[in-house]
Amino acid sequence: MNKVWDDLVARNQVAGYLDANLRGASQVFLQDNPWTGLMILAAIFWGAHAAGNLEVAFGAAAGLVISTFVAILLRADPASIQQGLFGFNGILVGAAIPTYLVSHPAMWVFLVIGAAVSTILTLAISNITQTWGVSGSTAPFIFTTQLLLLAASAFANVPLVPMQGAANAPAIWPSDGFDIVARSISQVHLIGNVVTGVLFLIAIAINSFRSAVFAVLGAIVSLVVAVGFGANSGAISAGLYGYSAVLTAIAVGAVLNRPSTGVTFYAIFAMIFTVIVQAALNTAMAPIGIPALTLPYVLTMWLFQLPKAERR
């Protein structure tokens, strides 16, 4: 099946563009597989429907398509486009804008602008991070989305959805673990849905079983650390202390370093620190009313990869 699809992509420009978009959806979890991307998109639509906000899913799809198309217009590196490296920031921008802004036609204009700018920022940031020997990862999504959310405070037609801190939930029991792990994975796309998280995990495993294992490990480690330090139980239950650690786990433990026992322990330490960075950034950004998004993951990933980059 893969060979048939690859042959079609090689012969047909439309199929090639679709393939690049599907790979872009998969690259959020650092994977490069169109079938992984297709399943991730399906899981996003499931979760958005379950939450009664399909605008998140349509926004994610729009952001993915727009950011990839802008990369083509800007004549970015064709191989990078085909690998989906310009689509994954766009899909995250597209999911975030309908999540944090009240529905309005102007919100969609913001989304289009944000998806396009995420591609420009991807090009700009990659010129810097490549000299460091690390990936820009979701930094374009973070900077673009946070700037748009800050700007929204000045525009009446794109009001922010009021940010509410997670209420303390009842005590967390081991029986809650499965749901929290699944939500931690689903929250990578700003969706708190158990089924979506399970589908994301299956999608990752389609391309890399090791990445799927580390995604689960990241969610478990973040849960233990957050509970151990006494974080807000409502935020823990929603997966809000786990999603960045999930990405850190995949990046440091499964994708950016050669597998070894040492790398596994190094990745676990990175996961632990990601939770601390998450708490710090949540506290720092609460007064200005914008979310940390995946900034804890990016900062931790850079911190833990820069020393290794120096030794290459």
Side-chain angles (χ1 to χ4, degrees):
M1 187 174 181
N2 283 338
K3 187 177 185 306
V4 173
W5 176 250
D6 290 343
D7 289 343
L8 179 61
V9 167
R11 296 194 312 267
N12 187 288
Q13 287 186 338
V14 174
Y17 182 62
L18 177 60
D19 180 75
N21 279 285
L22 293 176
R23 291 178 189 274
S26 75
Q27 287 286 3
V28 175
F29 288 101
L30 293 90
Q31 308 302 304
D32 182 9
N33 187 305
W35 308 112
T36 293
L38 181 62
M39 193 165 186
I40 285 171
L41 284 171
I44 291 171
F45 271 88
W46 173 277
H49 173 72
N53 189 6
L54 274 173
E55 286 187 327
V56 170
F58 287 115
L64 175 65
V65 170
I66 292 165
S67 57
T68 303
F69 183 65
V70 170
I72 295 171
L73 290 180
L74 294 176
R75 298 183 180 179
D77 175 53
S80 296
I81 294 173
Q82 203 58 51
Q83 290 169 9
L85 297 179
F86 291 96
F88 72 94
N89 279 289
I91 192 174
L92 289 171
V93 171
I97 295 303
T99 298
Y100 294 110
L101 296 183
V102 174
S103 182
H104 187 280
M107 179 270 286
W108 290 100
V109 176
F110 247 43
L111 190 153
V112 171
I113 293 170
V117 169
S118 74
T119 294
I120 297 170
L121 265 176
T122 298
L123 290 166
I125 290 174
S126 66
N127 287 335
I128 299 171
T129 55
Q130 282 176 4
T131 64
W132 299 347
V134 297
S135 166
S137 195
T138 59
F141 152 64
I142 298 162
F143 297 151
T144 300
T145 303
Q146 289 184 340
L147 284 172
L148 288 174
L149 297 183
L150 284 170
S153 299
F155 299 131
N157 288 338
V158 281
L160 288 160
V161 174
M163 285 190 67
Q164 298 178 348
N168 258 312
I172 293 171
W173 296 93
S175 57
D176 302 320
F178 178 85
D179 286 0
I180 295 173
V181 166
R183 290 193 200 102
S184 295
I185 297 170
S186 73
Q187 284 286 3
V188 170
H189 277 280
L190 299 98
I191 294 170
N193 183 276
V194 172
V195 174
T196 293
V198 171
L199 291 176
F200 281 171
L201 187 62
I202 295 171
I204 296 166
I206 288 172
N207 186 65
S208 169
F209 183 75
R210 181 178 177 85
S211 292
V213 169
F214 270 85
V216 173
L217 182 60
I220 293 173
V221 169
S222 64
L223 170 58
V224 172
V225 173
V227 170
F229 282 135
N232 179 287
S233 57
I236 296 172
S237 295
L240 297 178
Y241 272 96
Y243 66 92
S244 278
V246 166
L247 291 176
T248 298
I250 296 171
V252 179
V255 175
L256 301 179
N257 299 298
R258 291 181 180 177
S260 70
T261 302
V263 163
T264 298
F265 283 109
Y266 190 67
I268 290 172
F269 187 48
M271 299 169 211
I272 294 169
F273 191 64
T274 302
V275 178
I276 295 171
V277 176
Q278 181 84 57
L281 290 176
N282 288 349
T283 302
M285 293 184 174
I288 57 176
I290 62 171
L293 303 174
T294 54
L295 186 55
Y297 149 63
V298 170
L299 292 180
T300 307
M301 182 268 291
W302 285 347
L303 175 64
F304 278 74
Q305 285 304 112
L306 279 169
K308 301 181 77 65
E310 286 295 319
R311 296 200 298 270
R312 287 183 190 135

